[in-house]
Amino acid sequence: MTFITLIRHGQTDWNLARRIQGSTDIPLNEKGRADAHRAAAHLAETPHDAIYSSPLLRAKETAEIIAAELGLELAGVVPDVREREFGEGEGMLVSDYISTYGDWHAEVPGAESLHDVGVRAIAALHAIARDSRRRSAPRAESVLVVAHGGVIRSVIDLVSGGTLPRDGEVIANGSAHRFEASPGSLRLLEETLVI
């Protein structure tokens, strides 16, 4: 088995403004860099063997900060843990998006469904786990993956059978969600909000 901890990237100016980023490549702001350092301090409590990242700048920068703090090298950039494509909703304020489309599950022209995001992300996590098991057999490995709020929400939704996250629950910048991956299975073990 492989332990995978999904970490949401640090804050960006668009997060602060409550603007939908999606695939728009927005960098971290100063608070976002501090979020990454706090996440690293929390993650230092247990050993980790590798760190991976979404290709988007905000996730890569978060991963680089965490990697430097924990003495890890960035093991790879994983395109399928990138944020959800929001299509015509990209760049909108969250309040405008909700008033225009109704909710996060609405069909928006050019946008990915939350389900599709979860499916692609879970497949990517299983690929990371398979690679980790090949490199570290027979022991379990602990892997960090820096991703995005929409990705983490979608993965949690699928692995919990739709019972989590609860309505209105925020996937905070710098939060960590630990999973256990084994062949054909991904299970949520714990979630930690890093404040």
Side-chain angles (χ1 to χ4, degrees), residues 58-77:
R58 57 195 182 266
K60 280 177 56 181
E61 189 176 357
T62 300
E64 288 165 357
I65 290 169
I66 293 170
E69 295 271 333
L70 301 183
L72 299 171
E73 287 186 35
L74 186 59
V77 172

Side-chain angles (χ1 to χ4, degrees), residues 23-177:
S23 61
T24 305
D25 212 3
I26 307 298
L28 297 178
N29 60 23
E30 285 307 309
K31 183 181 181 309
R33 290 181 192 91
D35 291 338
H37 285 287
R38 277 192 299 280
H42 170 74
L43 294 163
E45 296 173 8
T46 55
H48 304 285
D49 302 296
I51 186 166
Y52 295 81
S53 173
S54 152
L56 296 174
L57 181 60
R58 57 195 182 266
K60 280 177 56 181
E61 189 176 357
T62 300
E64 288 165 357
I65 290 169
I66 293 170
E69 295 271 333
L70 301 183
L72 299 171
E73 287 186 35
L74 186 59
V77 172
V78 183
D80 282 343
V81 297
R82 73 191 179 283
E83 182 57 290
R84 177 184 183 191
E85 298 280 346
F86 275 90
E88 291 181 7
E90 195 127 336
M92 293 178 77
L93 292 173
V94 170
S95 57
D96 293 341
Y97 180 93
I98 296 299
S99 67
T100 301
Y101 298 111
D103 66 23
W104 297 110
H105 297 281
E107 290 190 27
V108 177
E112 288 179 280
S113 73
L114 285 168
H115 177 80
D116 289 348
V117 171
V119 168
R120 75 164 153 80
I122 288 172
L125 296 176
H126 279 299
I128 289 168
R130 280 191 305 275
D131 181 58
S132 297
R133 283 192 293 272
R134 276 194 295 273
R135 286 186 290 114
S136 65
R139 72 177 185 86
E141 184 167 278
S142 178
V143 176
L144 306 174
V145 180
V146 181
H148 305 270
V151 170
I152 296 168
R153 178 174 298 283
S154 298
V155 169
I156 292 170
D157 179 69
L158 282 179
V159 302
S160 73
T163 62
L164 295 171
R166 292 169 190 84
D167 285 342
E169 188 173 329
V170 174
I171 307 293
N173 294 102
S175 62
H177 297 77

